[in-house]
Every structure is written in structure tokens, then in C-alpha cells.
Amino acid sequence: MGYERLNQMLNQVKPSQQQEEAMLKHLLQKERTESDMKTKHRMPKMAAAMLAAAILTTSAFAAVATGLDQRLLQYFGAEPEQTELLSPAAVVVDKELKDQGTTLRIEQAIADRYSAVVLIDLTTPEGTVLDGDYYTLGERDRLRARTADGTEMDSFGVGWTLLEDEDSADNHISLLLTVRSINGEFNFLGSKLSMDFEGLYDSNVQKNVLVDGHWKCTINLPQEDPGIYTVSDVPIEIGESQITLHSLYLSPISLTWELQGGKDNMESVAEIIHDTEDWQNQITLTTAESETIPVGECNFLHTTYGGGEGRYCFRLDTIMDPVEVVSVTLFGQTFSLK
């Protein structure tokens, strides 16, 4: 193995310069110590460098297997030490699809019960300038998902996020595809997500195709639930409506609750939720240390057509360990999460 191969290994794992120097320094220092004791076991510098690369490679692969791409961590606002909270919900996909000179790589995915986020890298032919501020990959109806028992994703929402790019005028972009289950029994854990992308567009209207191509694949989403799901079926009062809080779900990245009631009650709840400006301030989490934490922006609010039930999901402002949360307060009423 020569220097060229060593460089290839280091480039693959992309350690920082400080990591390389620290690892090599440690190995060479160890070599000098051991050589003082027994000179015939002395390790040449090249061998130490290759060993450092091998260790870094192994460490990087292990991190990928259990952790998250840094871009996903940044998107969710997680600190490096919080990686372990999201790692059980992450899978390495590493699928590469090519068509008409464009390469689409599906890097990683993370999922909880009601949402799945897929990290996608897209590299178009040389000379293509991708300097816009929004992109999509074809129609939302070309997405499918099915659980192991055959339950199919019913009502769902789709969102695209363009990640920051060091060179906004080149032919490469990174996108996050977010799919959310807003109704029905389907949940993403352990399901297969089928994606059938056709063309790169700069809007959801699908009129102006920027890059032609067809990329199709199916990925397996993680089975382990990073959150806590509890069926409570307890009374809750919202405005003038007396209904039932069916369930609560808290993952490190979201809070979701489901309501059930009569048609008239649910219509009243929908009006209250959608029309009250500060109602979000009435939703908080309480930790075991009695710290009160507000929720973040709304992922979706959905009341079924004709009323009867609803599902309401919020993104958290900060990554949370669900085990540390003891209760959820909704509209002045507190419900245990244990």
C-alpha cells in the first residue's frame, strides 16, 4: 500500500487535519516508547501512517453506521453529543442512481413514527448552474410507503429543503426530502419508502424542468422507535369542546398528539387551533427536573374531513431525550408521558 492509497483512504473518511496529526503523533510516540524497550519491534513511519488511516477509516465507518451525517445534525439543530439520541432512527442508504448525465445519491435517512427525512445529493452535467433557492424532484404522488404488514401510506405531506452549499454556482446541490404521515394507521418505522423521481424543478408546480432524468429506488427505514408513544384516551377540554386525547408521541425531534371526538366537537377544535394566534404558547413539555420547554414550529395540523379525529405535529426547538420528559401540557391541561 503506497502513499496514493493512503491518501484515498483519508479522503474517503475525511478526517480533520487535527485528527490526522493527533492520531499519527500518538502512534509514532507509542512506536518510540516501544522501540526503547525492544528496538526490533520498531514501526516505520509509513506503517504508522497506514495504521492511523485504517483506524480512522474504521472509526468513520462505525460513526456512519450508528450516527448521522453532519448535515442532518445541523438541520435538526443537534450538538455532536446528541448524536446518540438520533442514531437509532438513522440508516445509511448509500444508493447511487444515474440517468442522462446526472447522478443522484441517496445518502442517509432518519425516521420517527410520523415523519421521514431523506438526504439526497444531486450532481448534474458539467456546465449546469444550480444557483436557485428552491428545488424539487418531480411529483409528490410518485412517492409510496408500505409497512411490513402491508399498511400503505395514505394522507401525507411532502417538503423539500435546499441545504447550504459552499459553491452556490456549481452543478451540485444537497436536498432533504421530508415526508409526513398526517392521517391513518400508517407509521414510518420499519416501512419501505419508494421514491420515483423524474426531473429537477424549481417549483412545486412542475412546469419548468431544469434537468431531465429518471431516478427510482426503494429504501428501508429504521425499525427502532426513537420516541415514546402512549395511548391515553383521556378527556381534554379545548375551548368549548369536550373531546378525547387519544395519544401522545414524543421523539427527539417532534411532538405529536391525536384527538378523537364527535364531528361538531372536532370542527370546533379545528377552528380554535387554526384561528387562535397564541395557542402554540399553550403547548409545553416538562422534564423530570421541572424545566418547562416550549415546542417549536408546526409541522402539520390535520383534522379529518367531516371531523371526528385530528393529528397535530410540532417540531421541537431543541433535540430532546424523550426519557427525560415526564409530561405534556396542552391548553392548560397536563398529561403524563410515562
Side-chain angles (χ1 to χ4, degrees), residues 52-69:
I55 293 174
L56 285 169
T57 302
T58 303
S59 301
F61 288 159
V64 169
T66 59
L68 282 173
D69 187 289

Side-chain angles (χ1 to χ4, degrees), residues 163-303:
L163 299 182
E164 291 186 11
D165 192 349
E166 294 181 358
D167 184 357
S168 60
D170 64 5
N171 61 328
H172 175 269
I173 55 174
S174 294
L175 298 169
L176 287 183
L177 165 66
T178 302
V179 189
R180 296 189 173 97
S181 174
I182 62 177
N183 189 32
E185 296 300 319
F186 173 86
N187 81 73
F188 286 100
L189 300 173
S191 69
K192 294 182 181 294
L193 177 63
S194 297
M195 297 166 285
D196 190 354
F197 303 127
E198 190 162 15
L200 178 68
Y201 299 81
D202 57 5
S203 75
N204 290 320
V205 185
Q206 314 304 325
K207 289 185 177 180
N208 179 32
V209 60
L210 304 176
V211 177
D212 288 312
H214 188 196
W215 312 277
K216 182 178 181 179
C217 77
T218 298
I219 66 174
N220 296 315
L221 295 175
Q223 297 185 18
E224 185 173 347
D225 193 340
I228 294 175
Y229 176 75
T230 176
V231 176
S232 48
D233 284 331
V234 294
I236 182 173
E237 181 177 327
I238 302 180
E240 301 298 321
S241 299
Q242 301 284 339
I243 54 178
T244 298
L245 174 64
H246 173 62
S247 68
L248 286 169
Y249 178 68
L250 179 67
S251 80
I253 58 176
S254 69
L255 169 68
T256 304
W257 71 93
E258 294 178 303
L259 303 177
Q260 292 181 344
K263 175 181 177 181
D264 293 338
N265 283 345
M266 291 305 297
E267 287 181 345
S268 299
V269 169
E271 291 178 0
I272 293 170
I273 290 178
H274 286 279
D275 295 342
T276 304
E277 291 184 3
D278 64 345
W279 73 275
Q280 295 183 37
N281 294 326
Q282 302 180 51
I283 304 168
T284 58
L285 308 175
T286 302
T287 68
E289 298 179 351
S290 299
E291 181 183 3
T292 299
I293 301 174
V295 297
E297 64 185 44
C298 178
N299 284 336
F300 63 82
L301 307 173
H302 180 74
T303 304

Side-chain angles (χ1 to χ4, degrees), residues 289-326:
E289 298 179 351
S290 299
E291 181 183 3
T292 299
I293 301 174
V295 297
E297 64 185 44
C298 178
N299 284 336
F300 63 82
L301 307 173
H302 180 74
T303 304
T304 56
Y305 180 75
E309 59 185 22
R311 181 178 295 164
Y312 310 98
C313 180
F314 283 80
R315 179 175 174 174
L316 302 183
D317 276 340
T318 182
I319 296 294
M320 289 291 301
D321 184 349
V323 174
E324 296 179 356
V325 179
V326 296

